[in-house]
Amino acid sequence: MSGGDNLEFEIRPNPAPVGDAERAALLANPGFGRIFTDHMVTVRYADGKGWYEPRVEARAPIPMDPASAVLHYAQEIFEGLKAYPLPDGGVAMFRPDANAARFNQSAARMAMPALPENLFLQSLQEIISIDRDWIPQGEDGSLYLRPFAFANEVFLGVRPATEYLYLVIASPVGPYFSGGVKPVTIWVSPDFTRAAPGGTGAAKCGGNYAAGLSAQAEAAEHGCDQVVYLDAVERKYIDELGGMNVFLVLDDGSLVTPPLTGTILPGITRDSLIRLAERAGRRVEERPISLEEWREGAASGRVRESFACGTAAVITPIGTVRSEDGEFSIAGGGTGEVTTALRKELVDIQRGRAEDPFGWVHRVL
């Protein structure tokens, strides 16, 4: 590939950044994903030229032709990760190399060009460096990073585009759940599936999330916080939540989670929790889990805890599972010993408060 491997970023500082007082007021209660920093990263791609013109510039609307390919054929992928303040005043990312690898796996599935890992990592470092003052310093604060790419060739035709735009934007965030970590109630969708074998379930593309909005609305209508999907073939095995992976904790302290067979997202938090659990001596099984096994296990006490996991909330305890056939509750709820311990260990590693046994923490500043 020409271009992209050894590119130097052009830095164009925002000529009118948010003032110190206004920024401090915003950071006092940032919420999640509703305020943004002063800058963004842009890198362009063209067939035969590769990636070129990497820039850090003022965050602004993107000029777009109405015939841009992404608007018609949805060639788009994204990632999500965080930069954390460290106890010594520094800043670190958590497993950004894993995000880089998954970004390119998604690109391959969506017939998009791969982005060199060093360019992906450098783009994150650049926006963290220039917008460092936007990182919340509270106990639960972090800078959420959103790298994404889309087809911006002006062309109407069903084929892979020849031009793409890669960007990174950043959003200072507090805890995902403002009231603290509490057990959620989830709805088992009777009609909708997230992905089928051979589909885009393992890719982090916007279409997967758009297709899930109807199911999420259905969950809300039934008084639930989230939706959980069953497999598209037999309609009996758990896949994942709308945007999070699922774990069950059994009465012997072991964990089970659905396998990565191409229909669910290979979550980086999921992988991290598996490795931490195994390091602690817990057995982890990646195998199909039927809804009936979950229901019967909750009733018998075999299933002691259930949780969902992802970048935004880390671990979300699952307290109640509701479906057309009724509902059942998991005894451990949000106070489960294993769920609580895993969440604490992972958060402490991410924030530099505990040993990093796998070299996951990538210091930036």
Side-chain angles (χ1 to χ4, degrees):
M1 176 190 297
S2 62
D5 295 314
N6 294 288
L7 296 178
E8 184 174 345
F9 279 78
E10 178 186 359
I11 310 298
R12 298 181 175 181
N14 190 327
V18 173
D20 292 348
E22 182 181 353
R23 184 177 62 247
L26 291 169
L27 292 180
N29 183 25
F32 200 97
R34 60 182 178 85
I35 62 175
F36 298 92
T37 65
D38 292 310
H39 296 87
M40 66 182 184
V41 167
T42 60
V43 190
R44 298 184 176 278
Y45 177 90
D47 277 5
K49 188 174 184 177
W51 295 99
Y52 68 101
E53 289 187 3
R55 292 176 181 166
V56 178
E57 56 191 325
R59 182 179 177 275
I62 307 168
M64 183 175 290
D65 190 285
S68 294
V70 67
L71 299 176
H72 305 272
Y73 309 112
Q75 264 191 298
E76 180 270 349
I77 57 174
F78 69 97
E79 274 297 324
L81 66 160
K82 293 176 179 178
Y84 300 92
L86 299 176
D88 65 3
V91 180
M93 292 183 286
F94 182 74
R95 303 189 68 183
D97 53 334
N99 290 96
R102 190 172 66 182
F103 191 78
N104 281 335
Q105 291 163 6
S106 296
R109 180 62 184 86
M110 302 302 288
M112 296 171 65
L115 184 76
E117 180 178 325
N118 65 328
L119 183 58
F120 182 92
L121 296 177
Q122 184 65 24
S123 70
L124 302 176
Q125 292 168 0
E126 293 289 351
I127 198 165
I128 291 169
S129 296
I130 198 167
D131 283 336
R132 177 177 184 166
D133 290 342
W134 281 94
I135 301 176
Q137 297 301 308
E139 170 66 20
D140 297 312
S142 59
L143 186 66
Y144 185 83
L145 305 169
R146 172 52 60 87
F148 61 104
F150 63 88
N152 66 337
E153 179 187 5
V154 179
F155 174 75
L156 296 181
V158 184
R159 61 156 172 77
T162 61
E163 297 177 15
Y164 298 85
L165 185 62
Y166 167 77
L167 299 97
V168 185
I169 56 175
S171 173
V173 298
Y176 191 72
F177 297 105
S178 58
V181 180
K182 298 178 181 178
V184 296
T185 299
I186 60 174
W187 171 252
V188 181
S189 178
D191 302 313
F192 300 105
T193 60
R194 181 182 178 276
T200 60
K204 199 165 179 66
C205 58
N208 288 343
Y209 296 82
L213 295 179
S214 293
Q216 181 61 39
E218 182 182 73
E221 290 173 0
H222 288 85
C224 297
D225 305 290
Q226 258 289 355
V227 62
V228 63
Y229 296 100
L230 300 180
D231 73 286
V233 179
E234 297 187 59
R235 305 301 294 274
K236 63 183 288 188
Y237 295 105
I238 300 161
D239 261 1
E240 64 173 287
L241 269 67
M244 305 176 80
N245 297 120
V246 180
F247 280 83
L248 308 186
V249 182
L250 305 184
D251 56 1
D252 61 1
S254 65
L255 284 75
V256 292
T257 188
L260 300 179
T261 57
T263 61
I264 68 174
L265 189 71
I268 294 165
T269 304
R270 172 189 183 276
D271 179 71
S272 302
L273 292 171
I274 289 174
R275 293 171 68 178
L276 288 175
E278 290 178 337
R279 181 174 180 267
R282 297 187 184 279
R283 183 168 57 91
V284 181
E285 284 188 273
E286 297 179 67
R287 63 168 174 80
I289 306 168
S290 69
L291 178 61
E292 192 58 30
E293 177 186 353
W294 197 2
R295 186 194 309 274
E296 291 180 355
S300 69
R302 173 63 170 157
V303 176
R304 293 291 179 86
E305 307 169 35
S306 299
F307 63 84
C309 64
T311 297
V314 187
I315 288 179
T316 301
I318 297 172
T320 302
V321 180
R322 187 172 295 163
S323 71
E324 288 185 326
D325 298 324
E327 67 178 52
F328 61 90
S329 296
I330 295 88
T335 58
E337 177 183 349
V338 176
T339 301
T340 301
L342 281 173
R343 187 180 197 282
K344 183 180 186 307
E345 183 176 11
L346 183 57
V347 170
D348 283 348
I349 291 172
Q350 291 171 334
R351 295 183 175 275
R353 300 191 298 244
E355 175 194 359
D356 178 14
F358 299 104
W360 286 336
V361 177
H362 182 100
R363 191 180 183 105
V364 180
L365 299 171

